[in-house]
Amino acid sequence: MKELSFYKGKKVLITGHTGFKGGYLSALLSSAGALVTGYSLEPPTDPSLFELCKLESDVDHIIGDIRDYEKLLKVFKEKKPEIIFHLAAQPIVRTSYREPRLTYETNVMGTVNLLECVRETDSVRSVLNVTTDKVYLNNDEDKAFTEDMPLDGYDPYSNSKSCSELVTHSYIKSFFSDADAPRISTARAGNVIGGGDFASDRLIPDCVRAAERCEKVIIRNPASTRPFQHVLEPVTVYADIAARQYDEPEYADFYNVGPELSDVKSAGELAEIFCREWGDGLETEVRNDGGPHEASFLKLDCAKLKKKLGWKSVWNVEEAVKKTVQWSRVYVEKGDVRKELFRQIEEYLSDGKE
Ligand SMILES: NC(=O)c1ccc[n+]([C@@H]2O[C@H](COP(=O)([O-])OP(=O)(O)OC[C@H]3O[C@@H](n4cnc5c(N)ncnc54)[C@H](O)[C@@H]3O)[C@@H](O)[C@H]2O)c1
């Protein structure tokens, strides 16, 4: 991994900085000395990692809609960012079934607006578009996706992210193919876990809510397998890709970002690990609520990431759950969650060096 000191004094723009991943990325880069501007709607949950950890003090915090091209362009012109991380999105599968138009407007036109602003702003040198492992055509076969497989997500969320990928590919070919053009990558990450995710309809936040209320953890699809990893794993990969392509264009590419295949777990297994780690007799209960289609199998082949970036996972899935429980315990006991967030970032970076 490129040294994070690369970011010292660099002007970075993060869209979606008030969200779960965006919060971790903002904390990581601002602690490395980057000058971070964040552009997002208000935090998507209450409570939120962003507010609990007072991350507003670490970034130049701008509330704005990614669908508002004029406002976004004004921010680009004023802040003159060099490095862009695009995370702003409607990221929940079930919400996308209820609100497909909002999902496509945010995730597809949001990407178009962002890339138009890149075109209109000379300062930009490196862009990373954060999509998802759900971008692939998934026939529920038990095989790992490689980056060259067809992009055709099933539900509106997954499909909007496939479209976001395709928009990015077209912009690269049409507008950013010159040697001195901004370097652009996409990163297709798996499900992430970590302290401070309060989203509804996600497994680990459901576990924390159940633990808080001393209730059973209800699992909808216990057999669904997902590549779960700690949020700091993809977030440090994002930082690495953006830094490397800033200096060397050959790193601009499309990357799967996921755990070792041995860390691909079913939802039921993950919830059991969580319950064991939490203690206090916490238990799971399977209750299928007949919800909309969600893929049963999802595995990523991350050979490209390993080969090109020399990437290795730092925390396996058990470790990731442990850190999530540690942060969530501090939260439930009304402790200093900001301190715990930055302590875990330090710990992750130091474990990575070992
Ligand atoms: N959490 C995961 O497991 C996971 C897995 C793969 C990919 N991703 C991707 O990572 C990114 C971040 O996900 P997250 O889990 O942090 O989600 P999140 O819901 O916590 O955060 C989403 C962020 O986007 C912002 N946002 C939403 N609509 C917006 C709009 N119209 N204009 C401006 N900002 C808007 C929100 O305010 C928030 O800051 C998303 O692009 C998501 O698709 C997440």
Side-chain angles (χ1 to χ4, degrees):
M1 182 175 157
K2 206 170 165 94
E3 288 294 325
L4 277 174
S5 55
F6 161 87
Y7 280 97
K8 197 166 176 14
K10 293 275 190 312
K11 288 184 177 178
V12 171
L13 176 78
I14 301 175
T15 73
H17 68 294
T18 60
F20 174 52
K21 273 187 172 176
Y24 271 85
L25 185 61
S26 301
L28 178 79
L29 296 184
S30 62
S31 60
L35 307 170
V36 180
T37 299
Y39 182 94
S40 311
L41 294 182
E42 297 286 354
T45 57
D46 181 18
S48 67
L49 178 84
F50 186 78
E51 280 176 345
L52 288 170
C53 295
K54 302 181 176 57
L55 294 175
E56 193 172 338
S57 61
D58 301 281
V59 298
D60 186 354
H61 171 56
I62 299 173
I63 293 295
D65 197 317
I66 200 72
R67 294 167 296 174
D68 184 345
Y69 172 68
E70 299 303 332
K71 180 162 185 175
L72 185 64
L73 184 60
K74 198 159 169 268
V75 170
F76 268 74
K77 294 282 182 206
E78 274 173 25
K79 304 294 173 189
K80 301 186 175 30
E82 305 166 80
I83 302 168
I84 317 284
F85 295 92
H86 179 44
L87 285 84
Q90 188 305 94
I92 307 287
V93 172
R94 285 197 173 197
T95 307
S96 80
Y97 278 109
R98 286 194 301 273
E99 303 211 50
R101 278 192 67 214
L102 172 82
T103 303
Y104 279 103
E105 280 170 9
T106 307
N107 298 357
V108 187
M109 282 315 291
T111 306
V112 172
N113 288 343
L114 183 106
L115 292 172
E116 275 301 310
C117 291
V118 172
R119 236 155 68 83
E120 293 295 325
T121 315
D122 292 342
S123 56
V124 181
R125 192 171 163 87
S126 172
V127 181
L128 182 76
N129 181 15
V130 171
T131 64
T132 168
D133 56 359
K134 298 185 175 71
V135 292
Y136 295 107
L137 173 66
N138 189 339
N139 294 322
D140 262 347
E141 290 161 25
D142 188 7
K143 65 173 182 210
F145 292 107
T146 51
E147 287 86 349
D148 52 357
M149 286 183 171
L151 301 174
D152 191 359
Y154 184 110
D155 58 86
Y157 164 66
S158 308
N159 190 269
S160 70
K161 286 287 188 170
S162 316
C163 295
S164 173
E165 282 275 346
L166 295 177
V167 165
T168 310
H169 303 181
S170 168
Y171 267 75
I172 292 171
K173 287 183 279 194
S174 308
F175 307 115
F176 302 120
S177 56
D178 291 351
D180 59 349
R183 290 90 193 245
I184 303 184
S185 288
T186 65
R188 305 161 185 173
N191 286 43
V192 292
I193 64 174
D197 190 1
F198 293 95
S200 51
D201 286 330
R202 274 192 195 153
L203 183 58
I204 291 291
D206 286 347
C207 290
V208 177
R209 280 187 283 267
E212 245 187 305
R213 296 179 197 141
C214 302
E215 292 171 357
K216 285 189 175 174
V217 177
I218 305 299
I219 316 199
R220 299 190 310 250
N221 300 308
S224 302
T225 60
R226 294 284 183 273
F228 290 105
Q229 59 182 170
H230 193 273
V231 58
L232 283 168
E233 303 264 331
V235 158
T236 47
V237 170
Y238 300 159
D240 197 25
I241 295 170
R244 287 191 196 230
Q245 69 182 4
Y246 183 98
D247 285 332
E248 295 162 86
E250 58 272 27
Y251 286 106
D253 207 333
F254 313 119
Y255 296 96
N256 284 343
V257 181
E260 297 296 336
L261 286 182
S262 58
D263 278 334
V264 176
K265 297 284 177 205
S266 71
E269 284 169 325
L270 190 78
E272 291 298 338
I273 300 173
F274 184 93
C275 290
R276 255 198 328 271
E277 197 56 50
W278 189 275
D280 297 346
L282 187 64
E283 287 178 352
T284 61
E285 183 183 316
V286 176
R287 207 186 291 162
N288 195 319
D289 61 1
H293 169 276
E294 290 193 33
S296 301
F297 291 105
L298 225 173
K299 280 186 197 168
L300 285 178
D301 181 326
C302 300
K304 188 199 275 189
L305 188 71
K306 289 180 183 165
K307 194 161 172 234
K308 262 183 109 159
L309 276 73
W311 181 79
K312 266 195 201 141
S313 167
V314 176
W315 288 343
N316 65 17
V317 71
E318 270 85 11
E319 202 70 15
V321 173
K322 199 168 163 184
K323 305 301 174 191
T324 307
V325 166
Q326 278 172 3
W327 192 95
S328 304
R329 283 261 180 215
V330 176
Y331 163 68
V332 169
E333 287 156 18
K334 304 207 180 330
D336 190 338
V337 283
R338 177 180 168 90
K339 195 167 155 201
E340 180 61 12
L341 169 71
F342 283 94
R343 189 196 69 71
Q344 289 199 359
I345 291 176
E346 282 304 313
E347 191 180 15
Y348 179 86
L349 295 175
S350 133
D351 288 355
K353 283 198 176 110
E354 280 167 27

